[in-house]
mmCIF file of all heavy atoms in Angstrom:
data_model
loop_
_atom_site.group_PDB
_atom_site.id
_atom_site.type_symbol
_atom_site.label_atom_id
_atom_site.label_comp_id
_atom_site.label_asym_id
_atom_site.label_seq_id
_atom_site.Cartn_x
_atom_site.Cartn_y
_atom_site.Cartn_z
ATOM 1 N N LYS A 1 -32.704 -29.579 24.480
ATOM 2 C CA LYS A 1 -31.850 -30.717 24.836
ATOM 3 C C LYS A 1 -32.515 -32.045 24.483
ATOM 4 O O LYS A 1 -31.845 -33.072 24.363
ATOM 5 C CB LYS A 1 -31.525 -30.665 26.325
ATOM 6 C CG LYS A 1 -30.597 -29.513 26.696
ATOM 7 C CD LYS A 1 -30.424 -29.386 28.199
ATOM 8 C CE LYS A 1 -29.539 -28.185 28.535
ATOM 9 N NZ LYS A 1 -29.421 -27.973 30.001
ATOM 10 N N MET A 2 -33.825 -32.007 24.291
ATOM 11 C CA MET A 2 -34.560 -33.210 23.898
ATOM 12 C C MET A 2 -34.826 -33.222 22.390
ATOM 13 O O MET A 2 -35.607 -34.031 21.896
ATOM 14 C CB MET A 2 -35.891 -33.271 24.682
ATOM 15 C CG MET A 2 -35.694 -33.288 26.190
ATOM 16 S SD MET A 2 -37.234 -33.025 27.129
ATOM 17 C CE MET A 2 -38.000 -34.627 26.905
ATOM 18 N N ARG A 3 -34.187 -32.285 21.673
ATOM 19 C CA ARG A 3 -34.289 -32.155 20.204
ATOM 20 C C ARG A 3 -35.675 -31.732 19.749
ATOM 21 O O ARG A 3 -36.112 -32.020 18.625
ATOM 22 C CB ARG A 3 -33.866 -33.449 19.496
ATOM 23 C CG ARG A 3 -32.423 -33.841 19.770
ATOM 24 C CD ARG A 3 -31.971 -34.976 18.877
ATOM 25 N NE ARG A 3 -31.975 -34.572 17.474
ATOM 26 C CZ ARG A 3 -31.021 -33.836 16.883
ATOM 27 N NH1 ARG A 3 -29.978 -33.403 17.598
ATOM 28 N NH2 ARG A 3 -31.093 -33.538 15.603
ATOM 29 N N LEU A 4 -36.391 -31.023 20.596
ATOM 30 C CA LEU A 4 -37.668 -30.438 20.212
ATOM 31 C C LEU A 4 -37.425 -29.068 19.575
ATOM 32 O O LEU A 4 -36.475 -28.363 19.931
ATOM 33 C CB LEU A 4 -38.573 -30.286 21.433
ATOM 34 C CG LEU A 4 -39.140 -31.586 22.007
ATOM 35 C CD1 LEU A 4 -39.749 -31.325 23.377
ATOM 36 C CD2 LEU A 4 -40.179 -32.178 21.066
ATOM 37 N N LEU A 5 -38.280 -28.710 18.637
ATOM 38 C CA LEU A 5 -38.159 -27.414 17.980
ATOM 39 C C LEU A 5 -38.919 -26.364 18.776
ATOM 40 O O LEU A 5 -40.151 -26.301 18.746
ATOM 41 C CB LEU A 5 -38.718 -27.475 16.551
ATOM 42 C CG LEU A 5 -37.792 -28.061 15.485
ATOM 43 C CD1 LEU A 5 -38.493 -28.065 14.136
ATOM 44 C CD2 LEU A 5 -36.494 -27.279 15.387
ATOM 45 N N LEU A 6 -38.174 -25.539 19.505
ATOM 46 C CA LEU A 6 -38.749 -24.464 20.304
ATOM 47 C C LEU A 6 -37.924 -23.205 20.077
ATOM 48 O O LEU A 6 -36.727 -23.272 19.788
ATOM 49 C CB LEU A 6 -38.715 -24.802 21.800
ATOM 50 C CG LEU A 6 -39.375 -26.098 22.281
ATOM 51 C CD1 LEU A 6 -39.086 -26.305 23.754
ATOM 52 C CD2 LEU A 6 -40.872 -26.012 22.056
ATOM 53 N N GLY A 7 -38.547 -22.075 20.246
ATOM 54 C CA GLY A 7 -37.820 -20.818 20.144
ATOM 55 C C GLY A 7 -38.416 -19.771 21.060
ATOM 56 O O GLY A 7 -39.635 -19.620 21.125
ATOM 57 N N VAL A 8 -37.543 -19.067 21.776
ATOM 58 C CA VAL A 8 -37.995 -17.953 22.608
ATOM 59 C C VAL A 8 -38.164 -16.730 21.721
ATOM 60 O O VAL A 8 -37.298 -16.428 20.893
ATOM 61 C CB VAL A 8 -36.973 -17.648 23.725
ATOM 62 C CG1 VAL A 8 -37.450 -16.479 24.577
ATOM 63 C CG2 VAL A 8 -36.749 -18.877 24.596
ATOM 64 N N VAL A 9 -39.263 -16.033 21.879
ATOM 65 C CA VAL A 9 -39.446 -14.771 21.154
ATOM 66 C C VAL A 9 -38.628 -13.715 21.899
ATOM 67 O O VAL A 9 -39.078 -13.146 22.890
ATOM 68 C CB VAL A 9 -40.939 -14.380 21.088
ATOM 69 C CG1 VAL A 9 -41.106 -13.063 20.335
ATOM 70 C CG2 VAL A 9 -41.740 -15.488 20.415
ATOM 71 N N GLN A 10 -37.425 -13.487 21.403
ATOM 72 C CA GLN A 10 -36.478 -12.650 22.140
ATOM 73 C C GLN A 10 -36.642 -11.166 21.798
ATOM 74 O O GLN A 10 -36.723 -10.795 20.617
ATOM 75 C CB GLN A 10 -35.039 -13.089 21.864
ATOM 76 C CG GLN A 10 -34.743 -14.500 22.322
ATOM 77 C CD GLN A 10 -33.269 -14.727 22.598
ATOM 78 O OE1 GLN A 10 -32.806 -14.578 23.727
ATOM 79 N NE2 GLN A 10 -32.541 -15.091 21.566
ATOM 80 N N SER A 11 -36.648 -10.347 22.827
ATOM 81 C CA SER A 11 -36.662 -8.897 22.658
ATOM 82 C C SER A 11 -35.227 -8.412 22.472
ATOM 83 O O SER A 11 -34.268 -9.189 22.568
ATOM 84 C CB SER A 11 -37.269 -8.246 23.899
ATOM 85 O OG SER A 11 -36.421 -8.480 25.032
ATOM 86 N N ALA A 12 -35.071 -7.111 22.232
ATOM 87 C CA ALA A 12 -33.729 -6.542 22.124
ATOM 88 C C ALA A 12 -32.949 -6.766 23.411
ATOM 89 O O ALA A 12 -31.749 -7.090 23.392
ATOM 90 C CB ALA A 12 -33.826 -5.047 21.808
ATOM 91 N N GLU A 13 -33.634 -6.616 24.541
ATOM 92 C CA GLU A 13 -32.983 -6.839 25.834
ATOM 93 C C GLU A 13 -32.508 -8.289 25.958
ATOM 94 O O GLU A 13 -31.405 -8.559 26.433
ATOM 95 C CB GLU A 13 -33.955 -6.512 26.971
ATOM 96 C CG GLU A 13 -33.370 -6.697 28.357
ATOM 97 C CD GLU A 13 -34.371 -6.394 29.458
ATOM 98 O OE1 GLU A 13 -35.548 -6.155 29.134
ATOM 99 O OE2 GLU A 13 -33.980 -6.401 30.643
ATOM 100 N N ASP A 14 -33.348 -9.215 25.493
ATOM 101 C CA ASP A 14 -32.985 -10.635 25.545
ATOM 102 C C ASP A 14 -31.773 -10.923 24.667
ATOM 103 O O ASP A 14 -30.874 -11.682 25.047
ATOM 104 C CB ASP A 14 -34.157 -11.502 25.084
ATOM 105 C CG ASP A 14 -35.354 -11.421 26.018
ATOM 106 O OD1 ASP A 14 -35.148 -11.241 27.223
ATOM 107 O OD2 ASP A 14 -36.490 -11.504 25.519
ATOM 108 N N LEU A 15 -31.754 -10.339 23.480
ATOM 109 C CA LEU A 15 -30.650 -10.589 22.563
ATOM 110 C C LEU A 15 -29.325 -10.079 23.133
ATOM 111 O O LEU A 15 -28.290 -10.748 23.047
ATOM 112 C CB LEU A 15 -30.932 -9.923 21.215
ATOM 113 C CG LEU A 15 -32.010 -10.588 20.361
ATOM 114 C CD1 LEU A 15 -32.368 -9.710 19.179
ATOM 115 C CD2 LEU A 15 -31.543 -11.958 19.883
ATOM 116 N N LEU A 16 -29.356 -8.892 23.721
ATOM 117 C CA LEU A 16 -28.125 -8.331 24.273
ATOM 118 C C LEU A 16 -27.618 -9.134 25.466
ATOM 119 O O LEU A 16 -26.432 -9.117 25.781
ATOM 120 C CB LEU A 16 -28.352 -6.868 24.665
ATOM 121 C CG LEU A 16 -28.504 -5.894 23.493
ATOM 122 C CD1 LEU A 16 -28.950 -4.530 23.988
ATOM 123 C CD2 LEU A 16 -27.194 -5.773 22.722
ATOM 124 N N ALA A 17 -28.547 -9.832 26.136
ATOM 125 C CA ALA A 17 -28.163 -10.638 27.293
ATOM 126 C C ALA A 17 -27.988 -12.112 26.943
ATOM 127 O O ALA A 17 -27.655 -12.908 27.823
ATOM 128 C CB ALA A 17 -29.212 -10.497 28.392
ATOM 129 N N CYS A 18 -28.189 -12.472 25.675
ATOM 130 C CA CYS A 18 -28.147 -13.874 25.271
ATOM 131 C C CYS A 18 -26.761 -14.464 25.476
ATOM 132 O O CYS A 18 -25.771 -13.986 24.889
ATOM 133 C CB CYS A 18 -28.557 -13.997 23.805
ATOM 134 S SG CYS A 18 -28.473 -15.683 23.159
ATOM 135 N N GLU A 19 -26.681 -15.519 26.276
ATOM 136 C CA GLU A 19 -25.380 -16.111 26.579
ATOM 137 C C GLU A 19 -24.733 -16.738 25.346
ATOM 138 O O GLU A 19 -23.500 -16.770 25.217
ATOM 139 C CB GLU A 19 -25.513 -17.156 27.689
ATOM 140 C CG GLU A 19 -26.335 -18.392 27.345
ATOM 141 C CD GLU A 19 -27.816 -18.229 27.638
ATOM 142 O OE1 GLU A 19 -28.271 -17.081 27.810
ATOM 143 O OE2 GLU A 19 -28.510 -19.264 27.699
ATOM 144 N N HIS A 20 -25.550 -17.216 24.406
ATOM 145 C CA HIS A 20 -25.005 -17.809 23.189
ATOM 146 C C HIS A 20 -24.326 -16.739 22.324
ATOM 147 O O HIS A 20 -23.203 -16.933 21.838
ATOM 148 C CB HIS A 20 -26.118 -18.488 22.399
ATOM 149 C CG HIS A 20 -25.652 -19.146 21.143
ATOM 150 N ND1 HIS A 20 -24.971 -20.347 21.134
ATOM 151 C CD2 HIS A 20 -25.739 -18.763 19.844
ATOM 152 C CE1 HIS A 20 -24.670 -20.679 19.894
ATOM 153 N NE2 HIS A 20 -25.131 -19.735 19.092
ATOM 154 N N LEU A 21 -25.006 -15.611 22.131
ATOM 155 C CA LEU A 21 -24.423 -14.532 21.340
ATOM 156 C C LEU A 21 -23.204 -13.934 22.028
ATOM 157 O O LEU A 21 -22.229 -13.543 21.371
ATOM 158 C CB LEU A 21 -25.478 -13.446 21.085
ATOM 159 C CG LEU A 21 -26.659 -13.870 20.197
ATOM 160 C CD1 LEU A 21 -27.678 -12.742 20.091
ATOM 161 C CD2 LEU A 21 -26.175 -14.285 18.810
ATOM 162 N N GLN A 22 -23.230 -13.859 23.347
ATOM 163 C CA GLN A 22 -22.077 -13.363 24.077
ATOM 164 C C GLN A 22 -20.884 -14.297 23.916
ATOM 165 O O GLN A 22 -19.754 -13.861 23.711
ATOM 166 C CB GLN A 22 -22.422 -13.185 25.554
ATOM 167 C CG GLN A 22 -23.371 -12.035 25.835
ATOM 168 C CD GLN A 22 -23.703 -11.901 27.309
ATOM 169 O OE1 GLN A 22 -23.231 -12.669 28.143
ATOM 170 N NE2 GLN A 22 -24.536 -10.918 27.638
ATOM 171 N N GLU A 23 -21.136 -15.589 24.013
ATOM 172 C CA GLU A 23 -20.075 -16.586 23.873
ATOM 173 C C GLU A 23 -19.411 -16.492 22.498
ATOM 174 O O GLU A 23 -18.206 -16.703 22.351
ATOM 175 C CB GLU A 23 -20.656 -17.979 24.079
ATOM 176 C CG GLU A 23 -19.682 -19.131 23.864
ATOM 177 C CD GLU A 23 -18.706 -19.306 25.007
ATOM 178 O OE1 GLU A 23 -18.963 -18.780 26.107
ATOM 179 O OE2 GLU A 23 -17.670 -19.984 24.794
ATOM 180 N N ARG A 24 -20.208 -16.147 21.487
ATOM 181 C CA ARG A 24 -19.693 -16.056 20.120
ATOM 182 C C ARG A 24 -19.239 -14.650 19.753
ATOM 183 O O ARG A 24 -18.898 -14.378 18.603
ATOM 184 C CB ARG A 24 -20.767 -16.539 19.136
ATOM 185 C CG ARG A 24 -20.993 -18.045 19.220
ATOM 186 C CD ARG A 24 -22.042 -18.523 18.249
ATOM 187 N NE ARG A 24 -21.788 -18.120 16.864
ATOM 188 C CZ ARG A 24 -20.937 -18.730 16.056
ATOM 189 N NH1 ARG A 24 -20.229 -19.763 16.493
ATOM 190 N NH2 ARG A 24 -20.785 -18.328 14.805
ATOM 191 N N HIS A 25 -19.246 -13.748 20.729
ATOM 192 C CA HIS A 25 -18.771 -12.366 20.520
ATOM 193 C C HIS A 25 -19.493 -11.706 19.333
ATOM 194 O O HIS A 25 -18.863 -11.125 18.439
ATOM 195 C CB HIS A 25 -17.256 -12.346 20.289
ATOM 196 C CG HIS A 25 -16.484 -13.018 21.391
ATOM 197 N ND1 HIS A 25 -16.367 -12.463 22.650
ATOM 198 C CD2 HIS A 25 -15.803 -14.195 21.431
ATOM 199 C CE1 HIS A 25 -15.644 -13.266 23.414
ATOM 200 N NE2 HIS A 25 -15.295 -14.323 22.712
ATOM 201 N N ALA A 26 -20.809 -11.821 19.327
ATOM 202 C CA ALA A 26 -21.609 -11.305 18.216
ATOM 203 C C ALA A 26 -21.750 -9.789 18.234
ATOM 204 O O ALA A 26 -22.124 -9.198 17.222
ATOM 205 C CB ALA A 26 -22.991 -11.949 18.236
ATOM 206 N N PHE A 27 -21.471 -9.166 19.392
ATOM 207 C CA PHE A 27 -21.651 -7.719 19.506
ATOM 208 C C PHE A 27 -20.312 -7.027 19.720
ATOM 209 O O PHE A 27 -19.366 -7.610 20.266
ATOM 210 C CB PHE A 27 -22.578 -7.380 20.680
ATOM 211 C CG PHE A 27 -23.981 -7.902 20.515
ATOM 212 C CD1 PHE A 27 -24.375 -9.101 21.095
ATOM 213 C CD2 PHE A 27 -24.909 -7.199 19.766
ATOM 214 C CE1 PHE A 27 -25.657 -9.593 20.943
ATOM 215 C CE2 PHE A 27 -26.195 -7.680 19.603
ATOM 216 C CZ PHE A 27 -26.572 -8.877 20.187
ATOM 217 N N VAL A 28 -20.251 -5.803 19.257
ATOM 218 C CA VAL A 28 -19.092 -4.958 19.521
ATOM 219 C C VAL A 28 -19.584 -3.698 20.217
ATOM 220 O O VAL A 28 -20.680 -3.209 19.933
ATOM 221 C CB VAL A 28 -18.353 -4.607 18.214
ATOM 222 C CG1 VAL A 28 -19.227 -3.754 17.287
ATOM 223 C CG2 VAL A 28 -17.052 -3.877 18.512
ATOM 224 N N GLU A 29 -18.817 -3.193 21.141
ATOM 225 C CA GLU A 29 -19.185 -1.977 21.870
ATOM 226 C C GLU A 29 -18.315 -0.833 21.374
ATOM 227 O O GLU A 29 -17.084 -0.902 21.407
ATOM 228 C CB GLU A 29 -18.980 -2.195 23.376
ATOM 229 C CG GLU A 29 -19.583 -1.096 24.234
ATOM 230 C CD GLU A 29 -19.575 -1.438 25.717
ATOM 231 O OE1 GLU A 29 -20.484 -2.154 26.165
ATOM 232 O OE2 GLU A 29 -18.638 -0.976 26.400
ATOM 233 N N LEU A 30 -18.968 0.221 20.898
ATOM 234 C CA LEU A 30 -18.252 1.354 20.311
ATOM 235 C C LEU A 30 -18.663 2.655 20.973
ATOM 236 O O LEU A 30 -19.817 2.820 21.376
ATOM 237 C CB LEU A 30 -18.539 1.455 18.808
ATOM 238 C CG LEU A 30 -18.022 0.342 17.898
ATOM 239 C CD1 LEU A 30 -18.452 0.605 16.474
ATOM 240 C CD2 LEU A 30 -16.510 0.227 17.990
ATOM 241 N N GLU A 31 -17.716 3.558 21.045
ATOM 242 C CA GLU A 31 -18.008 4.893 21.548
ATOM 243 C C GLU A 31 -17.693 5.903 20.467
ATOM 244 O O GLU A 31 -16.652 5.814 19.801
ATOM 245 C CB GLU A 31 -17.181 5.187 22.799
ATOM 246 C CG GLU A 31 -17.506 6.543 23.423
ATOM 247 C CD GLU A 31 -16.816 6.769 24.761
ATOM 248 O OE1 GLU A 31 -16.042 5.880 25.170
ATOM 249 O OE2 GLU A 31 -17.055 7.821 25.375
ATOM 250 N N HIS A 32 -18.602 6.833 20.258
ATOM 251 C CA HIS A 32 -18.405 7.886 19.249
ATOM 252 C C HIS A 32 -18.296 9.217 19.969
ATOM 253 O O HIS A 32 -19.096 9.509 20.873
ATOM 254 C CB HIS A 32 -19.584 7.900 18.270
ATOM 255 C CG HIS A 32 -19.312 8.631 17.006
ATOM 256 N ND1 HIS A 32 -19.254 10.011 16.935
ATOM 257 C CD2 HIS A 32 -19.064 8.176 15.743
ATOM 258 C CE1 HIS A 32 -18.999 10.374 15.695
ATOM 259 N NE2 HIS A 32 -18.884 9.273 14.944
ATOM 260 N N PRO A 33 -17.324 10.049 19.629
ATOM 261 C CA PRO A 33 -17.159 11.314 20.348
ATOM 262 C C PRO A 33 -18.357 12.247 20.237
ATOM 263 O O PRO A 33 -18.571 13.089 21.113
ATOM 264 C CB PRO A 33 -15.919 11.934 19.687
ATOM 265 C CG PRO A 33 -15.790 11.268 18.364
ATOM 266 C CD PRO A 33 -16.300 9.885 18.573
ATOM 267 N N SER A 34 -19.164 12.098 19.181
ATOM 268 C CA SER A 34 -20.319 12.984 19.011
ATOM 269 C C SER A 34 -21.488 12.582 19.897
ATOM 270 O O SER A 34 -22.193 13.438 20.445
ATOM 271 C CB SER A 34 -20.768 12.996 17.547
ATOM 272 O OG SER A 34 -19.755 13.536 16.721
ATOM 273 N N THR A 35 -21.719 11.272 20.026
ATOM 274 C CA THR A 35 -22.836 10.810 20.847
ATOM 275 C C THR A 35 -22.414 10.512 22.280
ATOM 276 O O THR A 35 -23.252 10.447 23.177
ATOM 277 C CB THR A 35 -23.481 9.559 20.229
ATOM 278 O OG1 THR A 35 -22.459 8.596 19.931
ATOM 279 C CG2 THR A 35 -24.198 9.911 18.944
ATOM 280 N N GLY A 36 -21.121 10.304 22.497
ATOM 281 C CA GLY A 36 -20.599 10.224 23.866
ATOM 282 C C GLY A 36 -20.745 8.891 24.551
ATOM 283 O O GLY A 36 -19.844 8.477 25.256
ATOM 284 N N THR A 37 -21.840 8.202 24.370
ATOM 285 C CA THR A 37 -22.068 6.957 25.101
ATOM 286 C C THR A 37 -21.539 5.756 24.323
ATOM 287 O O THR A 37 -21.395 5.799 23.097
ATOM 288 C CB THR A 37 -23.573 6.752 25.364
ATOM 289 O OG1 THR A 37 -24.263 6.827 24.111
ATOM 290 C CG2 THR A 37 -24.093 7.832 26.284
ATOM 291 N N ARG A 38 -21.266 4.680 25.051
ATOM 292 C CA ARG A 38 -20.841 3.433 24.423
ATOM 293 C C ARG A 38 -22.081 2.637 24.033
ATOM 294 O O ARG A 38 -22.971 2.416 24.847
ATOM 295 C CB ARG A 38 -19.954 2.620 25.364
ATOM 296 C CG ARG A 38 -18.640 3.317 25.701
ATOM 297 C CD ARG A 38 -17.727 2.422 26.520
ATOM 298 N NE ARG A 38 -17.224 1.290 25.746
ATOM 299 C CZ ARG A 38 -16.168 1.356 24.932
ATOM 300 N NH1 ARG A 38 -15.506 2.500 24.781
ATOM 301 N NH2 ARG A 38 -15.764 0.281 24.276
ATOM 302 N N ILE A 39 -22.143 2.211 22.769
ATOM 303 C CA ILE A 39 -23.298 1.511 22.231
ATOM 304 C C ILE A 39 -22.864 0.130 21.761
ATOM 305 O O ILE A 39 -21.806 -0.024 21.156
ATOM 306 C CB ILE A 39 -23.914 2.283 21.039
ATOM 307 C CG1 ILE A 39 -24.253 3.722 21.430
ATOM 308 C CG2 ILE A 39 -25.149 1.555 20.515
ATOM 309 C CD1 ILE A 39 -25.352 3.851 22.445
ATOM 310 N N ARG A 40 -23.711 -0.870 22.035
ATOM 311 C CA ARG A 40 -23.436 -2.214 21.548
ATOM 312 C C ARG A 40 -24.160 -2.428 20.222
ATOM 313 O O ARG A 40 -25.358 -2.171 20.098
ATOM 314 C CB ARG A 40 -23.887 -3.261 22.570
ATOM 315 C CG ARG A 40 -23.062 -3.251 23.841
ATOM 316 C CD ARG A 40 -23.598 -4.262 24.838
ATOM 317 N NE ARG A 40 -23.344 -5.628 24.393
ATOM 318 C CZ ARG A 40 -23.893 -6.696 24.956
ATOM 319 N NH1 ARG A 40 -24.760 -6.557 25.951
ATOM 320 N NH2 ARG A 40 -23.599 -7.904 24.521
ATOM 321 N N PHE A 41 -23.405 -2.903 19.232
ATOM 322 C CA PHE A 41 -23.949 -3.170 17.906
ATOM 323 C C PHE A 41 -23.687 -4.628 17.533
ATOM 324 O O PHE A 41 -22.650 -5.186 17.887
ATOM 325 C CB PHE A 41 -23.275 -2.293 16.840
ATOM 326 C CG PHE A 41 -23.510 -0.826 16.977
ATOM 327 C CD1 PHE A 41 -22.568 -0.014 17.592
ATOM 328 C CD2 PHE A 41 -24.646 -0.232 16.466
ATOM 329 C CE1 PHE A 41 -22.759 1.360 17.702
ATOM 330 C CE2 PHE A 41 -24.857 1.136 16.564
ATOM 331 C CZ PHE A 41 -23.911 1.931 17.187
ATOM 332 N N PRO A 42 -24.590 -5.255 16.768
ATOM 333 C CA PRO A 42 -24.255 -6.555 16.174
ATOM 334 C C PRO A 42 -23.172 -6.341 15.129
ATOM 335 O O PRO A 42 -23.275 -5.416 14.313
ATOM 336 C CB PRO A 42 -25.576 -7.008 15.555
ATOM 337 C CG PRO A 42 -26.347 -5.752 15.334
ATOM 338 C CD PRO A 42 -25.935 -4.801 16.420
#
């Protein structure tokens, strides 16, 4: 907010929880009958 260049070293967990990526709908959640579970993909 002060226009400084900073970046968080984000893990996979951080990326999936990132409010910016969520706001922009960057991920899709898919379910495959073979694997059974719903997986989030970019």
Side-chain angles (χ1 to χ4, degrees):
K1 291 173 183 176
M2 301 168 75
R3 299 190 64 79
L4 288 167
L5 279 179
L6 304 174
V8 180
V9 180
Q10 297 204 93
S11 65
E13 181 181 6
D14 295 328
L15 288 170
L16 289 171
C18 177
E19 65 271 17
H20 181 76
L21 294 176
Q22 289 179 0
E23 176 76 18
R24 289 180 54 80
H25 305 289
F27 296 97
V28 65
E29 191 171 278
L30 293 178
E31 183 173 3
H32 197 286
S34 296
T35 50
T37 54
R38 296 186 69 83
I39 305 293
R40 292 177 70 191
F41 295 98

